[in-house]
Structures are given as C-alpha cells and as structure tokens.
Amino acid sequence: MKAASSRCFMQILALKETSAEWNGRIGLTLVPNEETGGEGGSSWLSREGLLAATVVAMLLAEPTSGVIWNANRGAISLRVQVFGKSAHVGLQHQGANAFERMHRVVARLQTLKHEVEQRTTHAKIGAEQARNSILLLGGQSVAVPISTWFQRSAGFTVDRRINPEEDLRPRSQVAGILEGASATEFL
C-alpha cells in the first residue's frame, strides 16, 4: 500500500508539471478496507457526502504487473461459520466435529469454484490467467481446538470476484450452497 500511495503522489505531481492546459481537479483519497466493502473508507466517505459527484474517472493502485485494466470486478466477501457440538475425543460419538462439517461445506463450494474459474472477461487486463473469475475459499480459516476436545465451531472466508460481464447470479449461487448446507444442519 505504501508503494502504491507514493506512486499516486508522484503521478499527480508529474501530471501537474507537464499539463499546462489541465482544466480539472485531481483528488487523492487513501482509504482502508477497500477489499472488504470499504465500510471505514469509501463507503463512509460516500455516505457522508465527501466524494465529489462530478468524478469522471478513478485510478485504483492495485498490483497489475504494469498493465492498465479498463474494467472493475465486483466482490462478494463472506465469513462462514460452521457449528458442531464439543466432545472429548474418547466420547466423540456424543459430539459433532465442526471442523469435519466445515470441510463438507467447502467441498460443495469447490464444485462451484471449478465452474466459476472457467469464466473469463473480455476486458484487456494482461495475463491470461488474470482474466478468470475468482472464487477464493479459506483466505482465512479458524478452528480453535480445546485440548483433547474437538471444535464447537470452525469458520472460513469466501471471496468471490465477479468479472464485468457477469450478472448478479454469483451471490445467489454461493448463498444457495450455504443455505443448502444450513438446511442439513452444517451451519
């Protein structure tokens, strides 16, 4: 983030120095949590009316290997928590292992992941692999064992990046799988 921020400052200065006929304003806004909806950043600025309504373009300093992307992915970020019932390892038949249940939910999502990652965008964004839609499972995962007892709950994140050509079905696809898992008492 520090390198991207300093690069943005440098580009603004370069534009100011080389464009004698520049007839616009450039605003630089550095915000946190853009990867997770921007509640403390862009979303807050927008709700407070602090983002200019006249903005015509935006530059986001993402690592793109020097390629300028002319498209934007949508994002769905979820935290999934799966519940079980704690039991001592010697009495495991009296419990339900949340970690094992979590893996059954992940297996269902992996089927969707395979389908999703076959989709590509038509936008010119450089590397061929970067054109694929994304479904990242377990960017973060948590299961806290208690000694010789197995987990009462376990969780993981789901990060779905949607290419511009896709509709909003991805949300319903992921939600459908999780609701189906919930119906079978996994969640």
Side-chain angles (χ1 to χ4, degrees):
M1 181 65 178
K2 289 184 267 185
S5 298
S6 62
R7 186 70 180 162
C8 287
F9 282 119
M10 291 171 50
Q11 292 301 323
I12 289 171
L13 291 174
L15 182 62
K16 184 178 178 182
E17 290 173 6
T18 60
S19 299
E21 296 182 27
W22 178 258
N23 192 18
R25 283 185 28 202
I26 297 175
L28 178 62
T29 306
L30 303 173
V31 296
N33 59 26
E34 52 88 19
E35 294 283 355
T36 56
E39 279 305 310
S42 300
S43 291
W44 182 84
L45 290 170
S46 180
R47 281 191 311 273
E48 296 296 315
L50 298 172
L51 293 177
T54 58
V55 171
V56 295
M58 174 187 123
L59 177 63
L60 181 62
E62 284 288 318
T64 62
S65 302
V67 176
I68 296 174
W69 294 6
N70 61 358
N72 186 346
R73 293 181 194 254
I76 300 169
S77 298
L78 305 168
R79 182 177 309 276
V80 178
Q81 190 162 5
V82 180
F83 297 98
K85 180 181 174 190
S86 291
H88 187 277
V89 69
L91 301 171
Q92 67 175 333
H93 62 280
Q94 294 178 350
N97 190 326
F99 180 78
E100 291 176 358
R101 288 179 166 191
M102 179 180 73
H103 279 271
R104 289 192 289 256
V105 175
V106 169
R108 292 177 182 192
L109 288 167
Q110 282 177 316
T111 301
L112 177 61
K113 176 183 175 72
H114 178 72
E115 174 192 323
V116 161
E117 294 183 350
Q118 301 305 308
R119 302 179 194 150
T120 58
T121 183
H122 299 294
K124 297 176 185 170
I125 59 172
E128 191 65 28
Q129 189 175 2
R131 296 178 62 227
N132 292 56
S133 294
I134 298 168
L135 179 59
L136 175 67
L137 302 172
Q140 200 175 55
S141 62
V142 179
V144 182
I146 305 171
S147 182
T148 56
W149 293 63
F150 53 76
Q151 293 85 0
R152 182 177 49 225
S153 72
F156 63 98
T157 57
V158 176
D159 191 352
R160 174 70 168 93
R161 299 302 169 98
I162 305 151
N163 278 326
E165 298 88 353
E166 294 185 74
D167 59 24
L168 293 179
R169 270 185 336 123
R171 181 176 181 165
S172 62
Q173 289 175 321
V174 171
I177 289 171
L178 296 176
E179 287 168 4
S182 180
T184 57
E185 300 180 20
F186 287 161
L187 303 177

